Amino acid sequence: MTSTQASRPLRIGNASGFYGDRFDAMREMLTGGELDVLTGDYLAELTMLILGRDRLKDPRAGYARTFLRQLEECLGLAHERGVRIVANAGGLNPAGLADAVRQLADRLGTPVRVAHVEGDDLHSRYPDSLAAHAYLGGFGIAACLREGADIVVTGRVTDAALVTGPAAAHFGWGPGDHDRLAGAVVAGHVLECGAQATGGNYAFFDEFRKSGGDLRHPGFPLAELHEDGTCVITKHPGTGGLVDVGTVTAQLLYETAGARYAGPDVTARLDTVRLTQDGPDRVRVEGVRGEAPPPTLKVGVNRLGGFRNEVAFVLTGLDVEAKAALVREQMTDALSKSPPADVRWDLVRTDRADAPTEETASALLRLVVRDRDQETVGRTLSGAAVELALASYPGFHVLAPPGKGSPYGVFEDVYVPHGAVDHVAVLHDGRRIPVPPAPDTAVLDDVPQPPPPDPLPPGPTQHAPLGLVAGARSGDKGGNANVGVWVRTDEAYRWLAHELTVDRFRQLIPESGQLKVARHLLPDLRALNFVVEGVLGEGVAAQHRFDPQAKALGEWLRSRHLDIPETLL
C-alpha cells in the first residue's frame, strides 16, 4: 500500500442487510458509482438458527446460498471494476462457501483470489447447541485483504467488522488505533442494515414523500472513510431514498444500548459522535472516540427450544368478550388431558361498532402454545380447535387451521476470553495466518449519565402523539429490546429529556411495567435510548410476543399521547 492509497478515502458500500435482502442490490451497487469495497451482512441471531437447521439436513450447507447466486451475476463485474467483496455469508460454513466461490469463479473464467476467516465456531464447547459462534472482529478480514484477496467470506463476525477489516487493511491501522477503529465501527453500524440508512423504515418517511422524494426503491448506503476515522455517509447518485442526519441518527440508535458500543476490536463511544449535513444525501460523521475492547468475546448460542403452534379465532360482531371467554374455556378443557407447557392468549380488538365490512367487525383471539413434545402442540391442539367448529360461539371460524407444530429456537449470550478462539485468516493459496487477540482490553464500566439540559419554560400544551415531534427506531438483542428516540431541535430535546423518563416510558409501554428499563442520554444526537430487558423472552426465534423482534415497538411509542408544548408543534 502506497502513501497515496492510504491518504485517499476508502469507499465502502453495502449490498445486504439480512439474508433475504434485495437480490439486485449487489449489481446496483457495482454499477451505480465508484466503490473500493462492497460488503454484505447476511447474518442475524435468527439466521444462525436457520443455517444450523440447514446443516443438520446437509453437512455441506450452512451458508447463505443467495450470496452465491448474486456472485454468479456479478463476480465478473466486480473483477472488472476492481471492487473487493467482503461478506459474512459463510455463516456456519465459511470454508464451504469459499470453496463454492472458487468453483464458481473457475466455471465463469474469472481469476479472483478467495479467502475466508474462521475460528468463530465454538460448538464443541456447547455440544447441546445447534450453533454456537463467537463474534470476531475485523483483523482476520484485514489479513486476507493485505495478502491480496479479492473475495473474503466469514462466519460470525460483528456487523461492523465488515468495515473495520477493510479500513484497517487500507490505512494500515493496528489494534491500538482506537479512535480510528471506533470511527470505522460507527460507519459499519450505519451501513450494516442497508436501506435503513437511506430512508427505509424511517419515522419521518411521509415528510420526505410529500416533499417529492421517492422511497419506492431506496439506494443502498456507502461510506467515504478517511484515514483519521471520520467518514461521510452517502449513496450512489440518482438512487432513491435519502441520507440526512435523521436517517443516520435512526440507524446509529438501532440495536444499541448505552454510550459504549463494545466490540472485539474496539469500544466506540456513541456519546462522542457528531453528525452534520454535508450536502444533499451526505452526512459527515466525526468526533468518534474509541477505547480498548472488553476482555471477553460475545458468543451467540442457539438451541432448539421445542415446538410451537398457534390458532387465531375470528370473533365477529357483538359480544366479543363473551365469545372469547367461551372458546377459551372450551380450549382449556380440551387441552387439560395433555396441557402444553406454555399457553398464551391474546385478544386483539381490531373490530369496530356498526362496521361497514365483516372484516372490520371482527376481532382476533390468538392462542399460542409451546412444548417440548411436538404431538402436544400439533395434533392435540389441531384436534381440539377443529372439533369446536360446530360447538362454540356464533360465527365460529379461524384464520387457518393449526398445523403439526414447528420447532422454535432459544438464543443465549455467553462470553469467553479472547484467547478462547482460534481466529485465523485462510488465504487463497491455503496459507493460514493466526490473528492474535486484542493486546489491550478494558472492563466496561457504566458511563456517567450527562445531566439533562435545562427544561423548557412552562407554557400551553396539546395532548398529542409523541411522533409529531420525535422519531424512533427499535430492535432486538437476544431477549432485550431497545428503543432509540430522537428529536430534531435543541428545544425539543430540552423537553424530551425531562418528559420521557423511565416512569413515563413504563406508562406508555405497559408491558415494560414489571421489567428492567434503562435510559441513556445521548445529547449530541438529541436522543434517548431505552433498553427493556426480557421483553422478548428467549429471543426472536422463540416468538415470545406479537412483534418478536420489537421492530415496531418504537412506532407504538410514537403513537402514544403526551402533553406536548405548543411551541414544538
Side-chain angles (χ1 to χ4, degrees):
M1 176 181 59
T2 67
S3 59
T4 302
Q5 287 175 313
S7 62
R8 68 174 178 81
L10 180 69
R11 291 176 62 87
I12 304 182
N14 170 281
S16 176
F18 67 99
Y19 190 12
D21 209 343
R22 188 192 307 164
F23 184 85
D24 293 334
M26 184 178 288
R27 176 173 290 277
E28 292 170 9
M29 289 300 289
L30 289 171
T31 58
E34 291 189 8
L35 283 179
D36 299 302
V37 179
L38 184 59
T39 66
D41 181 9
Y42 293 80
L43 301 184
E45 294 166 1
L46 181 60
T47 313
M48 299 299 280
L49 179 70
I50 294 169
L51 294 177
R53 290 171 59 186
D54 287 348
R55 205 170 188 191
L56 284 177
K57 301 173 186 174
D58 180 359
R60 297 168 300 176
Y63 54 78
R65 297 183 182 275
T66 304
F67 177 72
L68 267 184
R69 298 202 303 271
Q70 290 172 307
L71 280 188
E72 187 157 11
E73 292 187 5
C74 298
L75 188 59
L77 186 60
H79 178 63
E80 292 168 10
R81 294 182 172 238
V83 178
R84 290 170 152 186
I85 295 177
V86 179
N88 61 12
L92 277 62
N93 189 10
L97 178 57
D99 286 340
V101 173
R102 292 186 189 101
Q103 294 171 20
L104 173 65
D106 289 344
R107 178 162 58 84
L108 297 176
T110 305
V112 295
R113 290 162 292 192
V114 183
H116 74 274
V117 177
E118 60 184 40
D120 59 299
D121 191 344
L122 297 182
H123 181 263
S124 61
R125 280 177 169 249
Y126 306 94
D128 63 332
S129 68
L130 191 61
H133 291 258
Y135 288 71
L136 303 180
F139 281 100
I141 295 170
C144 294
L145 294 172
R146 284 171 177 154
E147 294 295 325
D150 302 299
I151 310 289
V152 182
V153 295
T154 77
R156 179 76 275 186
V157 297
T158 65
D159 302 335
L162 302 175
V163 172
T164 61
H170 180 77
F171 295 117
W173 296 341
D177 289 314
H178 291 151
D179 289 348
R180 292 174 170 85
L181 288 166
V185 164
V186 168
H189 181 56
V190 173
L191 296 187
E192 70 184 57
C193 288
Q196 277 197 171
T198 58
N201 301 349
Y202 183 44
F204 300 114
F205 75 99
D206 204 35
E207 289 183 12
F208 178 65
R209 291 176 65 247
K210 289 176 179 176
S211 68
D214 186 359
L215 276 174
R216 291 174 296 174
H217 198 77
F220 273 61
L222 64 95
E224 298 171 356
L225 190 60
H226 294 266
E227 195 276 338
D228 63 358
T230 63
C231 73
V232 172
I233 305 297
T234 184
K235 61 187 182 70
H236 283 326
T239 55
L242 78 155
V243 178
D244 68 8
V245 169
T247 66
V248 175
T249 299
Q251 181 54 30
L252 266 179
L253 295 171
Y254 182 62
E255 295 182 345
T256 60
R260 284 190 167 101
Y261 187 63
D265 296 325
V266 68
T267 294
R269 289 289 297 264
L270 298 182
D271 57 346
T272 64
V273 180
R274 296 195 307 271
L275 305 178
T276 54
Q277 200 72 36
D278 197 48
D281 292 320
R282 293 177 63 83
V283 172
R284 182 169 297 278
V285 184
E286 55 193 350
V288 187
R289 300 299 303 273
E291 300 169 341
T296 55
L297 297 176
K298 175 182 171 180
V299 180
V301 180
N302 288 274
R303 298 183 174 91
L304 287 177
F307 297 87
R308 71 180 299 279
N309 206 353
E310 70 174 271
V311 58
F313 300 94
V314 183
L315 315 173
T316 304
L318 304 176
D319 305 319
V320 165
E321 299 279 354
K323 290 171 180 174
L326 172 59
V327 73
R328 184 167 178 168
E329 291 171 4
Q330 291 176 311
M331 287 297 296
T332 299
D333 184 65
L335 296 174
S336 61
K337 295 179 181 178
S338 181
D342 183 53
V343 178
R344 294 177 185 270
W345 292 91
D346 287 296
L347 179 58
V348 184
R349 295 301 300 264
T350 52
D351 57 305
R352 66 186 70 168
D354 195 22
T357 66
E358 183 177 337
E359 187 172 4
T360 55
S362 300
L364 296 177
L365 179 65
R366 293 178 67 242
L367 167 62
V368 179
V369 297
R370 293 182 178 83
D371 199 273
R372 300 290 298 181
D373 178 48
Q374 188 173 16
E375 181 83 4
T376 298
V377 304
R379 184 177 302 175
T380 303
L381 176 69
S382 299
V386 171
E387 288 173 3
L388 290 178
L390 304 180
S392 189
Y393 59 86
F396 179 99
H397 66 287
V398 297
L399 288 183
K404 62 181 181 180
S406 58
Y408 72 89
V410 173
F411 179 86
E412 179 187 7
D413 284 347
V414 296
Y415 293 86
V416 299
H418 282 255
V421 303
D422 296 319
H423 190 177
V424 178
V426 185
L427 306 182
H428 56 281
D429 57 8
R431 286 181 293 144
R432 299 173 64 86
I433 300 179
V435 180
D440 299 310
T441 62
V443 175
L444 294 180
D445 294 321
D446 290 336
V447 176
Q449 287 283 313
D454 292 336
L456 287 180
T461 62
Q462 289 186 26
H463 200 61
L466 173 64
L468 294 183
V469 296
R473 179 164 287 166
S474 55
D476 64 310
K477 279 294 183 186
N480 302 338
N482 93 290
V483 185
V485 185
W486 80 97
V487 289
R488 295 180 285 186
T489 67
D490 291 339
E491 290 75 17
Y493 183 67
R494 290 172 62 188
W495 169 77
L496 183 74
H498 289 274
E499 176 65 23
L500 196 55
T501 61
V502 168
D503 287 343
R504 183 55 54 87
F505 183 93
R506 293 183 193 276
Q507 292 172 8
L508 299 175
I509 306 296
E511 68 179 296
S512 70
Q514 302 304 312
L515 302 173
K516 182 179 178 181
V517 179
R519 185 181 88 148
H520 305 276
L521 280 72
L522 299 169
D524 286 348
L525 299 176
R526 301 192 190 100
L528 308 175
N529 201 5
F530 293 88
V531 179
V532 187
E533 295 189 11
V535 68
L536 304 180
E538 295 173 302
V540 54
Q543 299 186 48
H544 176 77
R545 67 190 294 272
F546 168 68
D547 174 16
Q549 290 180 280
K551 295 291 189 183
L553 188 58
E555 286 301 295
W556 178 25
L557 179 65
R558 292 181 70 234
S559 74
R560 299 307 308 270
H561 286 56
L562 294 165
D563 292 327
I564 301 175
E566 290 184 355
T567 56
L568 301 181
L569 297 172

